[in-house]
Coordinates of all heavy atoms in Angstrom, one line a residue:
M23 N 86.8 59.8 96.4 CA 87.5 60.8 95.6 C 88.9 60.3 95.4 O 89.6 59.9 96.3 CB 87.5 62.1 96.4 CG 87.9 63.3 95.5 SD 88.0 64.8 96.5 CE 86.3 65.3 96.4
S24 N 89.4 60.4 94.2 CA 90.8 60.0 93.9 C 91.7 61.0 94.4 O 91.4 62.1 94.7 CB 90.9 59.7 92.4 OG 91.0 61.0 91.7
V25 N 93.0 60.6 94.4 CA 94.0 61.5 94.9 C 94.1 62.8 94.0 O 94.3 63.9 94.5 CB 95.4 60.8 95.0 CG1 96.5 61.8 95.4 CG2 95.3 59.7 96.1
S26 N 94.1 62.5 92.7 CA 94.2 63.6 91.8 C 93.1 64.6 91.9 O 93.3 65.8 91.8 CB 94.4 63.1 90.3 OG 93.2 62.5 89.9
N27 N 91.9 64.1 92.1 CA 90.7 65.0 92.3 C 90.9 65.8 93.6 O 90.5 67.0 93.6 CB 89.4 64.1 92.4 CG 88.8 63.9 91.1 OD1 89.2 64.6 90.1 ND2 87.8 63.1 91.0
L28 N 91.4 65.2 94.6 CA 91.6 65.9 95.9 C 92.6 67.0 95.7 O 92.4 68.1 96.2 CB 92.0 64.9 96.9 CG 92.2 65.5 98.3 CD1 90.9 66.0 98.9 CD2 92.8 64.5 99.3
A29 N 93.7 66.7 95.0 CA 94.7 67.7 94.7 C 94.1 68.8 93.9 O 94.4 70.0 94.2 CB 95.9 67.0 94.0
F30 N 93.3 68.5 93.0 CA 92.7 69.6 92.2 C 91.8 70.4 93.0 O 91.8 71.7 92.9 CB 91.9 68.9 91.0 CG 91.3 69.9 90.1 CD1 92.1 70.5 89.1 CD2 89.9 70.2 90.2 CE1 91.5 71.5 88.3 CE2 89.4 71.1 89.3 CZ 90.2 71.8 88.3
E31 N 91.0 69.7 93.9 CA 90.1 70.4 94.8 C 90.8 71.4 95.7 O 90.4 72.5 95.8 CB 89.3 69.4 95.6 CG 88.4 69.9 96.7 CD 87.0 70.1 96.2 OE1 86.8 69.9 95.0 OE2 86.2 70.5 97.0
L32 N 91.9 70.9 96.2 CA 92.7 71.7 97.1 C 93.3 72.9 96.4 O 93.3 74.1 96.9 CB 93.8 70.9 97.8 CG 93.4 70.0 98.9 CD1 94.5 69.1 99.3 CD2 92.8 70.7 100.1
A33 N 93.8 72.7 95.2 CA 94.4 73.7 94.4 C 93.4 74.8 94.0 O 93.7 76.0 94.1 CB 95.0 73.2 93.1
D34 N 92.2 74.3 93.7 CA 91.1 75.2 93.4 C 90.7 76.1 94.6 O 90.5 77.3 94.4 CB 89.9 74.4 93.0 CG 88.9 75.2 92.1 OD1 89.4 75.9 91.2 OD2 87.7 75.0 92.3
R35 N 90.6 75.4 95.7 CA 90.3 76.2 96.9 C 91.3 77.2 97.3 O 91.1 78.3 97.7 CB 90.1 75.2 98.1 CG 89.1 75.7 99.2 CD 88.8 74.7 100.2 NE 88.2 73.5 99.7 CZ 88.1 72.4 100.3 NH1 88.6 72.2 101.5 NH2 87.5 71.3 99.8
R36 N 92.6 76.8 97.1 CA 93.7 77.7 97.3 C 93.7 78.9 96.4 O 93.9 80.0 96.8 CB 95.0 76.9 97.2 CG 96.1 77.5 98.0 CD 97.5 76.9 97.6 NE 98.5 77.9 97.8 CZ 99.0 78.2 99.0 NH1 98.6 77.5 100.1 NH2 99.9 79.1 99.1
A37 N 93.4 78.6 95.1 CA 93.3 79.7 94.2 C 92.3 80.7 94.6 O 92.4 81.9 94.5 CB 93.1 79.2 92.8
E38 N 91.1 80.2 95.1 CA 90.0 81.0 95.5 C 90.4 81.9 96.7 O 90.1 83.1 96.7 CB 88.8 80.2 95.8 CG 87.5 80.9 95.6 CD 86.4 79.9 95.1 OE1 86.5 79.4 94.0 OE2 85.5 79.7 95.9
E39 N 91.1 81.2 97.6 CA 91.6 82.0 98.8 C 92.5 83.1 98.4 O 92.5 84.2 99.0 CB 92.2 81.0 99.8 CG 91.2 80.3 100.7 CD 91.8 79.2 101.4 OE1 93.1 79.1 101.6 OE2 91.1 78.3 101.9
E40 N 93.4 82.8 97.5 CA 94.4 83.7 97.0 C 93.7 84.9 96.3 O 94.2 86.1 96.5 CB 95.4 83.1 96.1 CG 96.6 82.5 96.9 CD 97.5 81.6 96.1 OE1 97.4 81.7 94.8 OE2 98.2 80.8 96.6
R41 N 92.7 84.6 95.6 CA 91.9 85.7 94.9 C 91.3 86.6 96.0 O 91.4 87.8 95.9 CB 90.9 85.1 94.0 CG 90.6 86.0 92.9 CD 89.8 85.3 91.7 NE 89.0 84.1 92.1 CZ 89.2 83.0 91.6 NH1 90.1 82.8 90.6 NH2 88.5 81.9 91.9
A42 N 90.7 86.0 97.0 CA 90.0 86.8 98.0 C 91.1 87.6 98.8 O 90.9 88.7 99.1 CB 89.3 85.8 99.0
E43 N 92.2 86.9 99.0 CA 93.3 87.6 99.7 C 93.8 88.8 98.9 O 94.1 89.9 99.5 CB 94.5 86.6 100.0 CG 95.7 87.2 100.6 CD 95.4 87.7 102.0 OE1 94.5 87.2 102.7 OE2 96.2 88.6 102.5
G44 N 93.9 88.6 97.6 CA 94.4 89.7 96.7 C 93.4 90.9 96.8 O 93.9 92.0 96.9
I45 N 92.1 90.6 96.8 CA 91.1 91.7 96.9 C 91.2 92.4 98.2 O 91.2 93.6 98.2 CB 89.7 91.1 96.7 CG1 89.5 90.6 95.2 CG2 88.6 92.1 97.0 CD1 88.3 89.7 95.0
R46 N 91.4 91.6 99.3 CA 91.6 92.2 100.6 C 92.8 93.1 100.6 O 92.7 94.2 101.2 CB 91.7 91.1 101.6 CG 90.4 90.8 102.4 CD 90.7 90.1 103.7 NE 91.4 88.8 103.5 CZ 90.9 87.7 103.2 NH1 89.6 87.6 103.0 NH2 91.6 86.6 103.0
R47 N 93.8 92.7 100.0 CA 95.1 93.4 100.0 C 94.9 94.7 99.2 O 95.4 95.8 99.6 CB 96.2 92.6 99.4 CG 97.5 92.7 100.2 CD 98.5 91.8 99.7 NE 98.2 90.4 100.1 CZ 98.8 89.3 99.5 NH1 99.7 89.5 98.6 NH2 98.6 88.1 99.9
V48 N 94.2 94.7 98.1 CA 94.0 95.9 97.3 C 93.1 96.9 98.1 O 93.4 98.1 98.1 CB 93.3 95.5 96.0 CG1 92.8 96.8 95.3 CG2 94.3 94.8 95.1
Q49 N 92.1 96.3 98.7 CA 91.2 97.2 99.5 C 92.0 97.9 100.6 O 91.8 99.0 100.9 CB 90.0 96.4 100.0 CG 89.0 96.1 98.9 CD 87.9 95.2 99.4 OE1 88.1 94.4 100.4 NE2 86.8 95.2 98.7
Q50 N 92.8 97.1 101.3 CA 93.6 97.6 102.4 C 94.6 98.7 101.9 O 94.7 99.7 102.5 CB 94.4 96.4 103.0 CG 95.5 96.8 104.0 CD 94.9 97.2 105.3 OE1 93.7 97.0 105.5 NE2 95.6 97.8 106.2
A51 N 95.2 98.4 100.7 CA 96.1 99.4 100.1 C 95.4 100.7 99.8 O 95.9 101.8 100.1 CB 96.8 98.8 98.9
L52 N 94.2 100.6 99.3 CA 93.4 101.8 99.0 C 93.1 102.6 100.3 O 93.2 103.8 100.3 CB 92.1 101.4 98.3 CG 92.3 101.0 96.8 CD1 90.9 100.5 96.3 CD2 92.8 102.2 96.0
R53 N 92.8 101.8 101.3 CA 92.5 102.5 102.6 C 93.7 103.2 103.1 O 93.6 104.3 103.5 CB 92.0 101.4 103.6 CG 90.6 101.5 104.0 CD 90.3 100.8 105.3 NE 90.7 99.4 105.3 CZ 90.0 98.4 104.8 NH1 88.8 98.7 104.3 NH2 90.5 97.2 104.8
V54 N 94.8 102.5 103.1 CA 96.1 103.1 103.5 C 96.4 104.3 102.7 O 96.8 105.3 103.2 CB 97.2 102.1 103.5 CG1 98.6 102.7 103.7 CG2 97.0 101.0 104.5
K55 N 96.2 104.2 101.4 CA 96.6 105.3 100.5 C 95.7 106.5 100.8 O 96.2 107.6 100.8 CB 96.3 104.9 99.0 CG 97.0 105.8 98.1 CD 96.8 105.4 96.6 CE 97.4 106.5 95.7 NZ 96.9 106.2 94.3
R56 N 94.4 106.3 101.1 CA 93.5 107.4 101.4 C 94.0 108.1 102.7 O 94.0 109.3 102.8 CB 92.1 106.9 101.6 CG 91.1 107.6 100.7 CD 89.7 107.4 101.1 NE 89.4 106.0 101.5 CZ 89.0 105.1 100.7 NH1 88.9 105.3 99.4 NH2 88.7 103.9 101.1
L57 N 94.4 107.2 103.7 CA 94.8 107.8 104.9 C 96.2 108.5 104.8 O 96.4 109.4 105.5 CB 94.9 106.7 106.0 CG 93.6 106.2 106.6 CD1 93.8 105.0 107.5 CD2 92.9 107.2 107.3
T58 N 97.0 108.0 104.0 CA 98.4 108.6 103.9 C 98.5 109.6 102.8 O 99.5 110.1 102.5 CB 99.4 107.5 103.6 OG1 99.1 106.8 102.4 CG2 99.5 106.5 104.8
L59 N 97.4 109.9 102.2 CA 97.4 111.0 101.1 C 97.8 112.3 101.7 O 97.1 112.9 102.5 CB 96.0 111.1 100.5 CG 95.9 112.1 99.4 CD1 96.5 111.7 98.1 CD2 94.4 112.4 99.1
S60 N 98.9 112.7 101.3 CA 99.5 114.0 101.7 C 99.2 114.4 103.2 O 98.5 115.3 103.5 CB 98.9 115.1 100.8 OG 97.5 115.1 100.9
P61 N 99.8 113.6 104.1 CA 99.6 114.0 105.5 C 100.4 115.2 105.9 O 100.2 115.8 106.9 CB 100.1 112.7 106.3 CG 101.0 112.0 105.3 CD 100.6 112.4 103.9
F62 N 101.4 115.4 105.0 CA 102.3 116.6 105.2 C 102.1 117.6 104.1 O 102.0 117.2 102.9 CB 103.8 116.1 105.2 CG 104.1 115.3 106.5 CD1 104.1 114.0 106.4 CD2 104.4 116.0 107.6 CE1 104.4 113.2 107.6 CE2 104.7 115.3 108.8 CZ 104.7 113.9 108.8
C63 N 102.3 118.8 104.5 CA 102.3 119.9 103.5 C 103.6 120.0 102.8 O 104.6 119.3 103.2 CB 102.0 121.2 104.2 SG 102.1 122.6 103.3
D64 N 103.7 120.7 101.7 CA 104.9 120.9 101.0 C 106.0 121.5 101.9 O 107.2 121.2 101.7 CB 104.7 121.8 99.8 CG 103.9 121.2 98.7 OD1 103.8 119.9 98.7 OD2 103.3 121.9 97.9
C65 N 105.6 122.3 102.8 CA 106.6 122.9 103.7 C 107.1 122.0 104.8 O 107.9 122.3 105.6 CB 105.9 124.2 104.4 SG 104.6 123.8 105.6
G66 N 106.5 120.8 104.9 CA 106.9 119.8 105.9 C 106.0 119.8 107.1 O 106.2 118.9 108.0
E67 N 105.1 120.7 107.2 CA 104.2 120.8 108.3 C 103.1 119.7 108.2 O 102.7 119.4 107.1 CB 103.5 122.1 108.2 CG 102.7 122.5 109.5 CD 103.6 123.0 110.6 OE1 104.6 123.7 110.3 OE2 103.3 122.7 111.7
L68 N 102.8 119.0 109.3 CA 101.8 118.0 109.3 C 100.4 118.7 109.2 O 100.1 119.6 110.0 CB 101.9 117.2 110.6 CG 100.9 116.0 110.7 CD1 101.2 114.9 109.7 CD2 101.0 115.4 112.1
I69 N 99.7 118.2 108.2 CA 98.3 118.8 108.1 C 97.5 118.1 109.2 O 97.4 116.9 109.3 CB 97.7 118.5 106.7 CG1 98.7 119.1 105.6 CG2 96.3 119.1 106.6 CD1 98.3 118.6 104.2
P70 N 96.8 119.0 110.0 CA 96.0 118.4 111.2 C 94.9 117.5 110.7 O 94.3 117.7 109.6 CB 95.4 119.6 111.8 CG 96.2 120.8 111.3 CD 96.7 120.4 110.0
D71 N 94.7 116.4 111.5 CA 93.7 115.4 111.1 C 92.3 116.1 110.9 O 91.6 115.7 110.0 CB 93.5 114.4 112.3 CG 94.6 113.3 112.2 OD1 95.3 113.3 111.2 OD2 94.7 112.6 113.2
E72 N 92.0 117.0 111.7 CA 90.7 117.7 111.6 C 90.5 118.3 110.2 O 89.5 118.2 109.6 CB 90.6 118.8 112.7 CG 90.5 118.3 114.1 CD 89.4 117.3 114.3 OE1 88.2 117.6 113.9 OE2 89.6 116.2 114.8
R73 N 91.6 119.0 109.8 CA 91.6 119.6 108.5 C 91.5 118.6 107.4 O 90.8 118.8 106.4 CB 92.9 120.4 108.3 CG 93.0 121.2 107.0 CD 94.1 122.2 107.1 NE 94.4 122.7 105.8 CZ 93.7 123.6 105.1 NH1 92.6 124.1 105.6 NH2 94.1 124.0 103.9
R74 N 92.2 117.5 107.5 CA 92.2 116.5 106.5 C 90.8 115.8 106.4 O 90.4 115.3 105.4 CB 93.3 115.4 106.7 CG 94.7 116.1 106.5 CD 95.8 115.1 106.9 NE 95.7 113.9 106.1 CZ 96.1 112.7 106.5 NH1 96.6 112.6 107.8 NH2 96.1 111.7 105.8
K75 N 90.2 115.7 107.6 CA 88.9 115.0 107.6 C 87.9 116.0 107.0 O 87.0 115.5 106.2 CB 88.5 114.8 109.1 CG 88.5 113.3 109.4 CD 88.2 113.1 110.9 CE 89.4 112.5 111.6 NZ 89.2 112.5 113.1
A76 N 88.0 117.2 107.2 CA 87.1 118.2 106.7 C 87.3 118.4 105.2 O 86.4 118.6 104.4 CB 87.2 119.5 107.4
M77 N 88.6 118.3 104.8 CA 88.9 118.5 103.4 C 89.9 117.3 103.0 O 91.1 117.5 103.0 CB 89.6 119.8 103.1 CG 88.8 121.0 103.5 SD 89.7 122.6 103.5 CE 90.3 122.6 101.8
P78 N 89.3 116.2 102.6 CA 90.1 115.0 102.3 C 91.2 115.2 101.3 O 92.2 114.5 101.2 CB 89.1 114.0 101.9 CG 87.8 114.4 102.4 CD 87.9 115.9 102.4
N79 N 91.0 116.2 100.4 CA 91.9 116.4 99.3 C 92.9 117.5 99.5 O 93.7 117.8 98.6 CB 91.2 116.6 98.0 CG 90.5 115.3 97.5 OD1 91.0 114.2 97.6 ND2 89.2 115.5 97.1
C80 N 92.8 118.1 100.7 CA 93.7 119.3 100.9 C 95.2 118.8 101.0 O 95.5 117.7 101.5 CB 93.3 120.0 102.2 SG 93.9 119.3 103.7
K81 N 96.0 119.6 100.4 CA 97.4 119.2 100.3 C 98.3 120.2 101.1 O 99.5 120.0 101.1 CB 97.9 119.1 98.8 CG 97.2 118.0 98.1 CD 97.8 117.9 96.7 CE 97.2 116.8 95.9 NZ 95.8 117.1 95.4
R82 N 97.7 121.2 101.6 CA 98.5 122.2 102.3 C 98.1 122.5 103.7 O 96.9 122.3 104.0 CB 98.5 123.5 101.5 CG 99.2 123.5 100.2 CD 99.2 124.8 99.5 NE 99.4 124.6 98.1 CZ 98.3 124.7 97.2 NH1 97.1 124.9 97.6 NH2 98.6 124.5 95.9
C83 N 99.0 122.9 104.5 CA 98.6 123.3 105.8 C 97.9 124.7 105.8 O 97.9 125.3 104.8 CB 99.9 123.4 106.7 SG 101.0 124.7 106.3
I84 N 97.4 125.1 106.9 CA 96.6 126.3 106.9 C 97.5 127.5 106.6 O 97.1 128.4 105.8 CB 95.9 126.5 108.3 CG1 94.9 125.4 108.5 CG2 95.3 127.8 108.4 CD1 94.5 125.1 109.9
D85 N 98.7 127.5 107.1 CA 99.6 128.6 106.8 C 99.9 128.8 105.3 O 99.8 129.9 104.8 CB 100.9 128.4 107.5 CG 100.8 128.7 109.0 OD1 99.8 129.3 109.4 OD2 101.7 128.4 109.8
C86 N 100.2 127.7 104.6 CA 100.5 127.7 103.2 C 99.3 128.1 102.4 O 99.3 128.8 101.4 CB 101.1 126.4 102.7 SG 102.7 126.1 103.4
E87 N 98.1 127.5 102.8 CA 96.9 127.8 102.1 C 96.6 129.3 102.2 O 96.3 129.9 101.2 CB 95.8 127.0 102.8 CG 94.5 127.0 102.0 CD 94.6 126.1 100.7 OE1 94.9 124.9 100.9 OE2 94.4 126.6 99.6
T88 N 96.7 129.9 103.3 CA 96.5 131.3 103.5 C 97.5 132.1 102.7 O 97.1 133.1 102.0 CB 96.6 131.7 105.0 OG1 95.9 130.8 105.8 CG2 96.2 133.1 105.3
F89 N 98.7 131.7 102.7 CA 99.8 132.4 102.0 C 99.5 132.4 100.5 O 99.6 133.4 99.8 CB 101.1 131.7 102.3 CG 102.3 132.3 101.5 CD1 102.8 133.5 101.9 CD2 102.8 131.6 100.4 CE1 103.9 134.1 101.2 CE2 103.9 132.2 99.7 CZ 104.4 133.4 100.1
I90 N 99.2 131.2 100.0 CA 98.9 131.1 98.5 C 97.6 131.8 98.1 O 97.6 132.5 97.1 CB 98.8 129.6 98.1 CG1 100.2 129.0 98.1 CG2 98.1 129.4 96.8 CD1 100.3 127.5 98.1
E91 N 96.6 131.8 99.0 CA 95.4 132.5 98.7 C 95.7 134.0 98.6 O 95.2 134.7 97.7 CB 94.4 132.3 99.9 CG 93.2 131.5 99.4 CD 92.3 131.1 100.6 OE1 91.9 132.0 101.4 OE2 92.0 129.9 100.8
R92 N 96.5 134.5 99.6 CA 96.9 135.9 99.6 C 97.6 136.3 98.3 O 97.4 137.3 97.7 CB 97.7 136.2 100.8 CG 97.3 137.4 101.5 CD 98.1 137.6 102.8 NE 97.4 136.9 103.9 CZ 98.1 136.6 105.1 NH1 99.4 136.9 105.2 NH2 97.4 136.0 106.0
Q93 N 98.5 135.4 97.9 CA 99.3 135.6 96.7 C 98.5 135.7 95.4 O 98.6 136.5 94.6 CB 100.4 134.5 96.5 CG 101.5 134.7 97.5 CD 102.9 134.6 96.9 OE1 103.0 133.7 96.0 NE2 103.8 135.4 97.3
S94 N 97.6 134.7 95.3 CA 96.7 134.7 94.1 C 95.8 135.8 94.1 O 95.4 136.3 93.0 CB 96.0 133.3 94.1 OG 95.1 133.2 95.2
R95 N 95.4 136.3 95.3 CA 94.5 137.4 95.3 C 95.3 138.7 94.9 O 94.7 139.5 94.2 CB 94.0 137.6 96.8 CG 92.6 138.2 96.8 CD 92.0 138.2 98.2 NE 91.8 136.8 98.7 CZ 91.6 136.5 100.0 NH1 91.7 137.4 100.9 NH2 91.4 135.2 100.3
R96 N 96.6 138.8 95.3 CA 97.4 139.9 94.9 C 97.6 139.9 93.4 O 97.7 140.9 92.7 CB 98.7 139.9 95.6 CG 99.4 141.2 95.7 CD 100.7 141.1 96.5 NE 100.4 140.7 97.9 CZ 101.2 140.2 98.8 NH1 102.5 140.0 98.4 NH2 100.9 139.9 100.0
A97 N 97.8 138.7 92.8 CA 98.1 138.5 91.4 C 97.0 138.9 90.5 O 97.2 139.4 89.4 CB 98.6 137.1 91.1
S98 N 95.8 138.6 91.0 CA 94.6 138.9 90.1 C 94.1 140.3 90.2 O 94.4 141.0 91.1 CB 93.5 137.9 90.5 OG 93.1 138.2 91.8
Ligands
LIG108 ZN1 102.6 124.3 104.7

């Protein structure tokens, strides 16, 4: 194998590794984003893990949820 071929081979392998690394990084970022999605309520209260596990998209703590539910019930 000539030197230029070897260099090409190495560059190719490196590009492939970088691609795989990029995919890993994106997947990691998505995982982190899911985990860090609104861990805190608007009021600053930490939403309990149990609640977030049960309702992955919940954005409010139990107190605020109850408060808003009560308000919307009163409004309707
Ligand atoms: Zn709250």
Side-chain angles (χ1 to χ4, degrees):
M23 193 183 276
S24 74
V25 173
S26 64
N27 267 353
L28 183 64
F30 183 76
E31 175 93 356
L32 285 174
D34 202 41
R35 206 172 300 166
R36 205 189 149 81
E38 208 147 291
E39 272 167 23
E40 274 170 14
R41 211 166 18 240
E43 176 64 27
I45 292 167
R46 260 199 301 277
R47 222 171 288 164
V48 168
Q49 286 174 336
Q50 171 74 9
L52 284 174
R53 249 197 306 276
V54 168
K55 196 179 175 192
R56 237 194 318 271
L57 283 175
T58 56
L59 176 75
S60 59
F62 289 96
C63 173
D64 291 340
C65 70
E67 193 77 37
L68 182 68
I69 302 170
D71 279 350
E72 293 303 308
R73 181 165 164 79
R74 290 173 63 209
K75 253 177 244 166
M77 298 170 62
N79 292 318
C80 79
K81 293 186 179 75
R82 287 183 206 100
C83 68
I84 294 163
D85 284 349
C86 291
E87 193 70 57
T88 310
F89 177 76
I90 285 164
E91 247 173 52
R92 226 175 271 160
Q93 285 228 320
S94 63
R95 213 170 293 162
R96 199 176 300 160
S98 60

